[in-house]
Amino acid sequence: MRVGLVGAGGVAQRHARVLTGFEDVHLLGVTDVAPGAARALADTYGGRVFPGVAELLAAGPDAVYVCVPPFAHGPAEEAVIAAGVPMFVEKPVAVDLDTAERIAALVQRAGLRTGVGHHWRYLHVVQEARRLLADRPVRMVNGAWLDKVPPVTWWARRDRSGGPVVEQAAHVLDLIRLLVGEVAEVTAYGDGAPPPVDGADIDSVTAATLRFASGAVGTLAAACVLTWKHRAGLEILADGLALSLAEDGLTVRDADGERHLPADPDAARVAVDGAFVDAVRGVGDDVRVPYAEALRTQRLALAVAESARTGRPVALPTGPAARLTAAVADVGMTTDA
Ligand SMILES: NC(=O)c1ccc[n+]([C@@H]2O[C@H](COP(=O)([O-])OP(=O)(O)OC[C@H]3O[C@@H](n4cnc5c(N)ncnc54)[C@H](O)[C@@H]3O)[C@@H](O)[C@H]2O)c1
C-alpha cells in the first residue's frame, strides 16, 4: 500500500513513522508548502518529494494523509476526493464550519473511505468507560484541556488554528460526544486576553457549559497559560459511578471502591493508523471517526468558540437532520442521500 502525505510537520512525521512500521505499507511521497520540510521527512521515512497535491495524486497513491494546520484544509481534500483516493485527515478538520461541511458533503457524494485523527477513541479504556456507562445514564461531564501554547507558529492566531477549543480540546469534545451524547446548547466565556506569544489573538482561557439532548449537563475548560501539559481529560458522573478518563488511563470509583486502569496513548496512535490502513486494504472495518463523525465534533467545538466570542448561547442540531446541512445544497445533494 502506497501512502502520500500532504504536510510534513510534526504530526505527519508521526504518521510516517507509524505507517512505515506496518508490513506492506510504504510512503509514496510527500508534499509541503515548505519543500525543506518535505525533503527532511522523505529523507527519514522514504518516498519522493512532490511539488504539489496534483503531482502526488498523479503518482497513484492508495491513500493520502492530509496533515496540514487547521487554516490550510480544503483544497487538498477537494483534490483527493476528486481523484477518488481514500483520505485520512488530521483534526481539527478545518478552521471553520463551511469548509468542513463542504468537504463532508463531497466525501458523502463520492462514497469515499475516510478517517480522522481522533485517536483517543482507540484507547482501550474508552471502551471500558462505554461498557461501564452502558446501563447508567451520564448525569454530568467535566472536560478539561489545560496546557501550554504548542511550539508551532500558527497556533496562537484565531484565524489560523481556530483557538484552543477547536485545535486542542477537540479531542476531549469528541470523547464527550461519544460517552455522553450530543450537545444541544453551549454557553461559553473567554477571557479576551491572549497568551504572551507573538501575534496571539486567542483567549488564554475558556470556560463553557454544555446542555446535552439527554438532559445531562457538563462543562469544558481550556487553557494555554502554562509551560507544561497539566491535564487533558474528562470526569464523568453517573448514579453511583465516577469515571476520570485521560489519555494515560481511567480511574473508576463506585460502591466497590476505586481502581485505576492504565492506558497507552502511543498504542492508540498506532491503532488509528492501523484501522484506517486495514479498512483501505479491505481487511478491517474499525475506522471509528470517519469524516462525517469528525464534522459533528467540529460543529461542537466551533459552537463553543462562537459562544465565547459573541457572549451568547449557541444551539446545535442534534437529530438525524443534523448530519449534513448547508453544504449539501452546495454540492447538489438531497439531505437524505
Ligand atoms: N491527532 C493528534 O494527536 C495530533 C497531534 C499533533 C498535531 N495534530 C494536528 O495536526 C495538524 C498539524 O499539526 P503539526 O503539529 O503537524 O503542525 P506543523 O506546523 O508542525 O506542520 C504543518 C505542516 O503543514 C505544512 N503546510 C501548511 N500549509 C500547507 C499546505 N497548504 N499544503 C501542504 N503543506 C502545508 C507546513 O509547512 C508544515 O510543514 C494540526 O491541526 C494539529 O492539531 C494532531
Side-chain angles (χ1 to χ4, degrees):
M1 179 169 160
R2 299 175 313 158
V3 179
L5 298 178
V6 181
V11 84
Q13 291 175 39
R14 188 184 89 204
H15 287 300
R17 176 169 45 77
V18 170
L19 289 165
T20 53
F22 294 146
E23 208 174 321
D24 294 335
V25 177
H26 71 266
L27 288 192
L28 174 65
V30 54
T31 183
D32 192 297
V33 290
R39 180 79 269 154
L41 188 147
D43 285 348
T44 307
Y45 297 104
R48 294 158 57 190
V49 173
F50 292 97
V53 179
E55 292 82 358
L56 170 66
L57 289 168
D62 298 305
V64 168
Y65 272 62
V66 181
C67 298
V68 298
F71 68 88
H73 285 284
E77 285 91 333
E78 282 174 16
V80 175
I81 296 165
V85 176
M87 175 173 79
F88 187 100
V89 181
E90 258 309 336
K91 49 55 61 182
V93 290
V95 76
D96 63 341
L97 197 51
D98 285 354
T99 303
E101 298 269 7
R102 180 164 45 82
I103 299 300
L106 291 170
V107 163
Q108 186 176 348
R109 184 170 67 174
L112 202 68
R113 168 74 70 187
T114 56
V116 175
H118 284 295
H119 64 268
W120 285 42
R121 290 221 195 180
Y122 290 86
L123 294 167
H124 72 87
V125 290
V126 169
Q127 308 315 312
E128 178 62 9
R130 288 188 84 179
R131 196 186 64 73
L132 290 164
L133 294 169
D135 56 359
R136 282 191 247 209
V138 172
R139 300 282 194 177
M140 183 163 78
V141 60
N142 303 117
W145 195 296
L146 313 176
D147 204 338
K148 57 187 177 299
V149 174
V152 282
T153 53
W154 45 266
W155 202 87
R157 286 264 309 277
R158 199 184 291 262
D159 65 347
R160 311 264 92 188
S161 70
V165 172
V166 173
E167 218 288 328
Q168 230 170 22
H171 281 301
V172 169
L173 289 174
D174 186 61
L175 279 201
I176 285 177
R177 288 190 46 250
L178 178 73
L179 295 171
V180 187
E182 299 297 347
V183 174
E185 189 175 75
V186 306
T187 304
Y189 298 97
D191 67 343
V197 173
D198 278 353
D201 66 354
I202 56 174
D203 291 326
S204 289
V205 293
T206 306
T209 54
L210 315 173
R211 181 175 64 77
F212 292 81
S214 67
V217 295
T219 63
L220 178 78
C224 56
V225 294
L226 306 174
T227 54
W228 65 93
K229 185 174 177 180
H230 190 67
R231 171 161 167 67
L234 52 160
E235 314 276 336
I236 295 178
L237 297 185
D239 292 352
L241 178 68
L243 304 179
S244 178
L245 178 60
E247 218 178 343
D248 60 358
L250 170 69
T251 301
V252 181
R253 179 147 189 191
D254 57 19
D256 297 331
E258 185 171 293
R259 59 196 184 277
H260 181 73
L261 310 170
D264 178 1
D266 283 336
R269 294 186 187 109
V270 173
V272 70
D273 284 340
F276 179 70
V277 162
D278 283 352
V280 172
R281 290 201 275 211
V283 297
D285 189 17
D286 190 26
V287 173
R288 298 185 187 174
V289 185
Y291 198 97
E293 178 67 0
L295 172 64
R296 292 190 270 278
T297 295
Q298 175 82 352
R299 285 186 188 134
L300 173 56
L302 284 167
V304 173
E306 184 190 333
S307 179
R309 188 172 50 78
T310 62
R312 287 198 289 274
V314 175
L316 282 136
T318 53
R323 293 297 147 91
L324 289 170
T325 51
V328 167
D330 294 345
V331 295
M333 294 165 57
T334 57
T335 44
D336 56 358

